[in-house]
Amino acid sequence: RGMSDAAAASEHGQQDSFLDMPGHLLRRCHQIGVAVFLEECRAVDLTPLQFGLLAALAQFGAMDQASLGRVAALDRTTIVVVLGKLAQRELVTRTPSRKDRRSKIVAITDTGRDLLARALPLARQAQERMVEPLSPSERAQLTTLLAKMADGNNRLSRAPHSLPQS
């Protein structure tokens, strides 16, 4: 019972099982991460994507939707849907840009800042729960390796990450 899926697959003669492929393991960890985040952040009713957009706006300030999508590494369709839900809750505002009327400038509201302040400790607790099986040095190594993998493959993303221009 204490055997890992990959070890069990090897025991059953399955070499190079999909169970120990990085993509499969990343998908499983993503599912776990979302479930833990939703559980921890139930009191503030935020999804990981909503939290990420609020945190990005709080950290970098108001910006156009396209730039916000690049910061959060979200595609155009997803950003519009998530921002729509945040705007309905009056957590963000979207106003036409003075430079380009087709572009929307997104800003976090005071209500959004208050909710984010309540959400931050919950999100941190979710992160801690996700990495709980790892030692402190393994946690640091995991974060370093995930960042290296994400940065090294950024160009392959449907929504590449980039920081806003100053």
Side-chain angles (χ1 to χ4, degrees):
R1 186 94 203 139
M3 191 180 300
S4 73
D5 288 345
S10 293
E11 189 172 89
H12 287 76
Q14 299 168 335
Q15 302 218 321
D16 297 323
S17 170
F18 81 95
L19 297 171
D20 56 355
M21 290 182 174
H24 175 72
L25 294 169
L26 284 169
R27 184 189 60 76
R28 285 184 57 212
C29 287
H30 178 261
Q31 286 177 318
I32 292 163
V34 169
V36 168
F37 186 94
L38 292 175
E39 186 177 303
E40 289 292 335
C41 293
R42 186 177 324 130
V44 292
D45 192 26
L46 282 178
T47 67
L49 294 182
Q50 292 169 342
F51 172 82
L53 292 182
L54 290 176
L57 289 167
Q59 182 173 348
F60 296 109
M63 66 184 86
D64 65 86
Q65 282 185 189
S67 296
L68 182 57
R70 287 189 295 274
V71 169
L74 295 176
D75 63 79
R76 185 175 296 158
T77 302
T78 303
I79 192 104
V80 168
V81 170
V82 177
L83 285 175
K85 292 180 184 202
L86 292 173
Q88 283 176 343
R89 293 176 62 189
E90 299 182 351
L91 302 175
V92 300
T93 58
R94 293 181 293 181
T95 55
S97 169
R98 290 187 185 122
K99 295 178 188 171
D100 180 353
R101 302 297 288 173
R102 297 168 297 174
S103 179
K104 299 269 193 234
I105 302 299
V106 184
I108 188 169
T109 64
D110 288 341
T111 304
R113 282 186 197 287
D114 291 344
L115 186 69
L116 181 62
R118 290 187 9 237
L120 274 168
L122 303 173
R124 285 189 188 105
Q125 179 60 32
Q127 304 308 302
E128 285 299 313
R129 281 184 58 199
M130 284 180 246
V131 297
E132 195 171 41
L134 305 176
S135 70
S137 65
E138 288 171 329
R139 292 173 188 194
Q141 185 179 23
L142 175 66
T143 302
T144 299
L145 292 173
L146 287 172
K148 184 176 183 177
M149 192 171 156
D151 293 345
N153 289 310
N154 192 49
R155 73 191 187 298
L156 304 175
S157 176
R158 285 186 4 213
H161 165 75
S162 67
L163 293 177
Q165 306 297 321
S166 301

